[in-house]
Amino acid sequence: MFESAIIEKIIGYHFNDVSLLQRAFTHSSFSEYSYERLEFLGDSVLGAVVAEYLFSNYKDYDQGKLTLIRANVVDKPPLVKVIKSLKLNDYMLLGKGEKQNKLQDSNKLCGDLYEAIVGAIYIDVEQAIKNGIDTMGYNGYSRAREFILSNLEQTIIKMAQNHSTLIDYKSKLYDYCQKNRIVVEFKSSQTGSSNNAIHNVKLYLDGVEVSSASGTRIKNAEQTASNLALKKLEINL
């Protein structure tokens, strides 16, 4: 049985369309009607909310600093921390199998779940407005923003205040490769329409593919691919 009332209490939002909430918690191993499309939307909304917050509150920061901070905030670790602290991953709908418990606790799934919840809230409010339901002055973006800032605002502030300690994985990789005379090359491709594009990045070192990543923002995908490459090279971060 899907515990929608408990989940709504935890996240602080009551859904007009509970099926959206259930979909946000449904893994593809359980049903084809999974969270993946909601995750895609939530990723974009999350990035926009964090970017807007940084732009409005850190007016003396240049684009480079803002990009680095945003990339670290919307990366998996902060999202995973929220999901696991609230124990929301306990309510995931997963297919049966010996890997179920491991999957439920995986960082990737927890990060995906956070973004899917954001996407579900956004769509639920927008649908409610179309159906003439009173949303108390909220639209999808503003309500999703409220949820995001309720659990990530302190993380944003902390990272913004300590931005000099954040890791720019791409720059670190370039520094390492330059010292060791290794040629770095990123190759990117795009899927989806221009308004809903997914950037697929492959990272090559001396012509050999060592990592790949995808995302709605090419800079974030390159950061993720760089981080994966650094781990493979066993470079101390």
Side-chain angles (χ1 to χ4, degrees):
M1 182 178 178
F2 184 65
E3 303 286 355
S4 58
I6 296 175
I7 297 171
E8 288 177 329
K9 185 175 182 180
I10 294 173
I11 67 177
Y13 177 74
H14 176 72
F15 277 78
N16 297 285
D17 182 356
V18 180
S19 70
L20 281 169
L21 176 62
Q22 183 167 336
R23 184 175 185 181
F25 280 76
T26 301
H27 188 261
S28 57
S29 64
F30 185 87
S31 170
E32 292 183 2
Y33 192 67
S34 68
Y35 63 66
E36 292 175 356
R37 282 174 56 83
L38 291 174
E39 174 207 349
F40 164 76
L41 175 62
D43 174 63
S44 296
V45 175
L46 172 62
V49 168
V50 174
E52 178 202 8
Y53 186 92
L54 291 170
F55 181 85
S56 299
N57 291 281
Y58 298 92
K59 301 183 184 301
D60 57 334
Y61 284 17
D62 61 22
Q63 182 185 10
K65 288 181 182 178
L66 296 175
T67 300
L68 178 61
I69 297 165
R70 181 184 63 184
N72 278 264
V73 172
V74 304
D75 198 10
K76 294 298 182 186
L79 312 185
V80 171
K81 184 177 180 180
V82 172
I83 292 297
K84 289 189 174 181
S85 66
L86 297 175
K87 298 183 178 180
L88 285 168
N89 52 317
D90 291 346
Y91 300 95
M92 284 295 299
L93 299 175
L94 304 169
K96 294 181 179 180
E98 58 181 328
K99 296 182 179 179
Q100 182 173 351
N101 291 336
K102 184 177 180 180
L103 177 62
Q104 189 173 33
D105 197 48
S106 73
N107 287 345
K108 182 183 185 309
L109 183 145
C110 291
D112 292 349
L113 174 57
Y114 185 95
E115 293 172 342
I117 292 172
V118 171
I121 292 173
Y122 180 96
I123 289 296
D124 188 63
V125 177
E126 290 299 312
Q127 285 186 174
I129 293 172
K130 289 181 180 179
N131 293 329
I133 298 173
D134 183 7
T135 60
M136 306 294 290
Y138 286 105
N139 59 22
Y141 178 84
S142 61
R143 190 60 186 84
R145 182 180 188 276
E146 186 173 275
F147 168 75
I148 292 166
L149 294 183
S150 72
N151 48 63
L152 279 182
E153 184 173 20
Q154 292 306 311
T155 298
I156 299 172
I157 293 172
K158 183 177 180 180
M159 288 189 176
Q161 292 176 340
N162 300 283
H163 60 84
S164 61
T165 65
L166 299 179
I167 299 174
D168 183 342
Y169 298 110
K170 186 176 178 180
S171 294
K172 191 173 183 68
L173 178 67
Y174 269 112
D175 288 343
Y176 173 86
C177 291
Q178 185 176 17
K179 291 176 182 176
N180 292 276
R181 297 183 179 180
I182 298 173
V183 177
V184 181
E185 182 181 12
F186 289 94
K187 292 184 179 180
S188 63
S189 61
Q190 182 176 304
T191 56
S193 65
S194 58
N195 292 329
N196 298 290
I198 293 293
H199 298 282
N200 308 296
V201 171
K202 292 183 178 181
L203 172 58
Y204 295 81
L205 299 182
D206 281 342
V208 178
E209 182 182 339
V210 295
S211 64
S212 62
S214 299
T216 55
R217 294 173 294 277
I218 192 168
K219 289 183 179 180
N220 285 358
E222 289 178 344
Q223 285 283 346
T224 301
S226 298
N227 185 17
L228 293 172
L230 288 167
K231 288 179 179 178
K232 286 186 177 181
L233 292 169
E234 297 183 350
I235 298 174
N236 184 14
L237 298 177

